[in-house]
Amino acid sequence: MGKAWSPPGAGRGPKTRWKAVFAAVVINVAVANGAWAAQRVALIVGVSKYDKVPSLANPAKDARLVQATLQKLGFQVKVLTDPNRAQLIEGLGDFEEAAKGSEAAVIYYAGHGAMIDGVNYLLPKDAVSTNKSALTGSAVESARLGQAMVGAKAVRLIILDACRNNPTATRSIGGNSRGLARESGPTSVAVVTLMAAGPGQVAQDGAAGAANSPFAIALTQGMTRPGITVGELPSYVQAEVERMTEGEQTPDLQGIWPNVHWSFDLNGPVKQASAAPTADLTKIKWEKDQVFWNTVKDSDDPADFKAYMEAQDRGEITGSFRKLASNRIRALEKLPAGSFQVASRSAQPGQDLVISARDAFARGDFAAAARDWTTAAQQGNGAAMYNLGVMSLTGKGAPKSAEAAAKWFKASADAGHSGGMVNWGLCRLNGFGTAKDEKAGFDWIQKAADRGSANAMGMLAEAYLRGRGVGQDPRQAAGWLQKAVDAGDGPSIAQLAELYERGQGVARDGRRAFNLYQRAAVAGDTDAMVRLGYAYEDGEAVAKDEVQAATWYQRAAEAGNSEGMSSLAVMLENGSGLPQDYARAAEYYRLAANAGDARGYLGLGSMTVRGAGVRANPAEAVRLFQAAADRGSALAMRNLGIMYETGQGVRADRKKAIDYYRKALAAGDQEARGELERLGAVS
């Protein structure tokens, strides 16, 4: 067509908040030797007894736990216990053959690990650590595990439990005394690696006398959750390990899932051919998750958050906010006696009805929820009043009415419910369903914040940032955001990160901002996941790591974030840090477009006009570019100019081409100026 197309990657969205016998080293092998022809295969390696480095207590126990779990999940499992280097290499070679054509391949390694010069090494029984050369020559590079499973189709998962703390010697021997590094070999994209602890961290063995480590417990519990998918597993494991270690350990994930909807559950749809219906089931679980969370997120009762976590344990919801729920439980239970939340947790009339109504609402039975909440509200239950307000606000279970929502929120606030105070305050601030009075609205939010509501603290910070009901004061905003974070409010973490990123109300600190975004992302904030992806892709606040960027984009995408979808699509289209894959890029662009993302429309249009990953269709490309332009994409406006100038998908029209070039320039696309100059149309 004679013209260069605008790269969709240039339009990032705005930052937002909200065979062989293994001899004596094989134990409890689940299948007969050589019988590897299976859809699910796993290799378990546990090294506890070493010849020349300190022995370890937990790897053998953890390996047995993981082995038993995978066998229950239908995996054909082989186990290497205390292998020497030759046995480990031979076992990996056999597993490589077994993994070819399998549906899922998993390798679990527990034992000593060492990071030397940026390379991770796994130590077999006969490893020697007298010096760097001896260690690297007697160990096995962790990248060898990835090479052994690239032949699997749907799932390629390495689990590195090789960075725990050892009381008698440093667990990571060699160049780094604090854990392992992220994988960087040629298979680091095609294979997903879940590490027991983040880069530079050491993993805990658990309390004295514990049967297994926190990581092994969380991992095996997660795998056996009904219907849990590989895409959901890391978030569960991270949240649980952080909870069990009180925030001292966070497992790390890297790599791109070929099929995020694959389920460990033998009773769930697991095959790639079933990806579409499985995706639908995942969407239903995600939607229920959002509903459940919205009914409890402003609660003052730890029981509500425990109920949320139990619903995930039953496989009813995705549990995207599990970390936030855990944070709120911890924060509420630490409050002193006599505080607002502790007082409000006393038995209230109608509390059983509130719980039954919440469960009904989560499963879509809005009539039953409305009935029970109404009865509880008549008995004076503030939580029921709050939820009736949510019903009137959303139109689910009650006619949609701003006035009715405001009335219920006021009643809830008067009854002492913090969520009611916050929402009634917002109604007054914005004149929603009631007379606008910013000062009164601010006072209600202040009242809830002063009495311990984490959400109110975050809202108070926003009021100071925007000057709503109070004078604009970024320093006060930063202070309240920090209080909200300390009280367990999830959204405030990313908001505080933005202040550090911009230097607003606090000294500018890119690294502090990155750490906060990371904390928010692990807690389930999808916008923070995208921001982490940008940070890894840009390499300013942290070392550039395009694989890690793609990892976070995919996690955000699978949690419904359209910016994560289009960001991953850009990397797949351009081959940035990932193997170029037009078909997957087009699919992620399509998902983003379906969610209303301008860059999704732009990217899919660009691929459609070129016939890359999809059938070429210039007319459809014009429609997609128009949809992106309608959503403010300057690049899409320039592409429409190209289409009208060259007559692709539309009748050639020089006047319209110039008009679109001018619109693109006005919207900030400076390359459109060159097009106008070429056409002699610069005004």
Side-chain angles (χ1 to χ4, degrees), residues 622-634:
V622 170
R623 185 191 72 79
L624 292 166
F625 287 146
Q626 187 64 63
D630 291 343
R631 289 162 174 79
S633 171

Side-chain angles (χ1 to χ4, degrees), residues 481-542:
L481 281 175
Q482 185 62 63
K483 290 180 181 179
V485 169
D486 294 340
D489 184 60
S492 293
I493 305 173
Q495 284 188 299
L496 184 59
E498 287 191 40
L499 296 190
Y500 276 103
E501 187 174 27
R502 298 195 303 261
Q504 184 178 5
V506 290
R508 187 173 182 181
D509 188 335
R511 185 65 196 187
R512 170 72 171 152
F514 172 84
N515 289 338
L516 284 165
Y517 281 132
Q518 186 170 47
R519 183 175 168 185
V522 170
D525 188 317
T526 61
D527 289 329
M529 294 176 191
V530 174
R531 298 293 281 275
L532 275 187
Y534 288 162
Y536 278 113
E537 201 173 356
D538 295 340
E540 295 178 3
V542 66

Side-chain angles (χ1 to χ4, degrees), residues 200-279:
Q201 285 187 342
V202 291
Q204 298 182 17
D205 279 333
N212 297 100
S213 68
F215 176 72
I217 293 170
L219 174 70
T220 53
Q221 287 179 346
M223 286 178 170
T224 53
R225 289 292 177 264
I228 194 167
T229 66
V230 289
E232 296 167 354
L233 178 66
S235 294
Y236 175 88
V237 174
Q238 287 177 324
E240 280 299 282
V241 171
E242 278 209 344
R243 180 184 64 80
M244 288 188 282
T245 63
E246 296 187 347
E248 293 184 6
Q249 178 183 337
T250 304
D252 190 71
L253 182 75
Q254 182 178 22
I256 305 300
W257 297 108
N259 176 12
V260 296
H261 303 299
W262 189 91
S263 175
F264 286 95
D265 191 343
L266 284 169
N267 297 318
V270 297
K271 298 186 181 301
Q272 184 74 38
S274 303
T278 309

Side-chain angles (χ1 to χ4, degrees), residues 27 106 131 507:
I27 61 170
V106 175
N131 55 60

Side-chain angles (χ1 to χ4, degrees), residues 74 83 112 132 172 196 207 290 323 395 401 427 435 456 464 510 540 553 668 679:
H112 272 306
K132 184 186 296 186
S172 292
Q290 306 302 303
K323 173 60 179 170
S401 168
C427 287
Y464 277 110
E540 295 178 3
Y553 291 151
L679 295 174

Side-chain angles (χ1 to χ4, degrees), residues 36-301:
W36 275 90
Q39 288 300 299
R40 299 179 171 205
V41 296
L43 177 64
I44 309 297
V45 182
V47 192
S48 288
K49 299 177 181 178
Y50 285 87
D51 296 334
K52 298 181 179 180
V53 298
S55 294
L56 298 166
N58 269 20
K61 295 187 291 183
D62 288 346
R64 286 193 292 271
L65 177 62
V66 175
Q67 171 199 357
T69 300
L70 290 174
Q71 287 173 345
K72 290 177 183 178
L73 294 171
F75 281 80
Q76 291 193 0
V77 183
K78 287 192 176 180
V79 181
L80 287 173
T81 300
D82 300 331
N84 59 33
R85 187 174 188 275
Q87 291 166 334
L88 179 55
I89 291 175
E90 182 181 3
L92 288 170
D94 292 338
F95 186 74
E96 185 171 358
E97 292 300 314
K100 290 178 180 177
S102 68
E103 177 185 290
V106 175
I107 296 179
Y108 172 83
Y109 173 88
H112 272 306
M115 190 275 281
I116 299 176
D117 298 332
V119 178
N120 292 331
Y121 292 88
L122 308 178
L123 279 60
K125 175 183 175 63
D126 55 351
V128 179
S129 63
T130 53
N131 55 60
K132 184 186 296 186
S133 296
L135 190 146
T136 57
S138 61
V140 175
E141 289 190 29
S142 61
R144 181 65 184 84
L145 276 61
Q147 297 167 12
M149 59 170 54
V150 292
K153 295 180 291 186
V155 174
R156 311 172 194 124
L157 173 61
I158 296 172
I159 303 165
L160 285 182
D161 195 358
C163 41
R164 302 180 216 180
N165 190 29
N166 177 30
T168 60
T170 302
R171 177 71 177 268
S172 292
I173 303 168
N176 190 318
S177 63
R178 299 283 300 175
L180 303 179
R182 289 198 178 99
E183 295 298 303
S184 58
T187 62
S188 59
V189 175
V191 171
V192 173
T193 301
L194 180 62
M195 293 170 54
Q201 285 187 342
V202 291
Q204 298 182 17
D205 279 333
N212 297 100
S213 68
F215 176 72
I217 293 170
L219 174 70
T220 53
Q221 287 179 346
M223 286 178 170
T224 53
R225 289 292 177 264
I228 194 167
T229 66
V230 289
E232 296 167 354
L233 178 66
S235 294
Y236 175 88
V237 174
Q238 287 177 324
E240 280 299 282
V241 171
E242 278 209 344
R243 180 184 64 80
M244 288 188 282
T245 63
E246 296 187 347
E248 293 184 6
Q249 178 183 337
T250 304
D252 190 71
L253 182 75
Q254 182 178 22
I256 305 300
W257 297 108
N259 176 12
V260 296
H261 303 299
W262 189 91
S263 175
F264 286 95
D265 191 343
L266 284 169
N267 297 318
V270 297
K271 298 186 181 301
Q272 184 74 38
S274 303
T278 309
D280 290 341
L281 290 174
T282 301
K283 182 179 180 182
I284 291 170
K285 285 173 64 177
W286 179 82
E287 290 174 345
K288 288 183 177 180
D289 188 65
Q290 306 302 303
V291 169
F292 200 141
W293 181 252
N294 283 331
T295 63
V296 302
K297 65 183 179 69
D298 293 319
S299 175
D300 306 311
D301 190 345

Side-chain angles (χ1 to χ4, degrees), residues 12 132 268 331 377 431 564 669:
R12 283 183 179 170
K132 184 186 296 186
D669 179 26

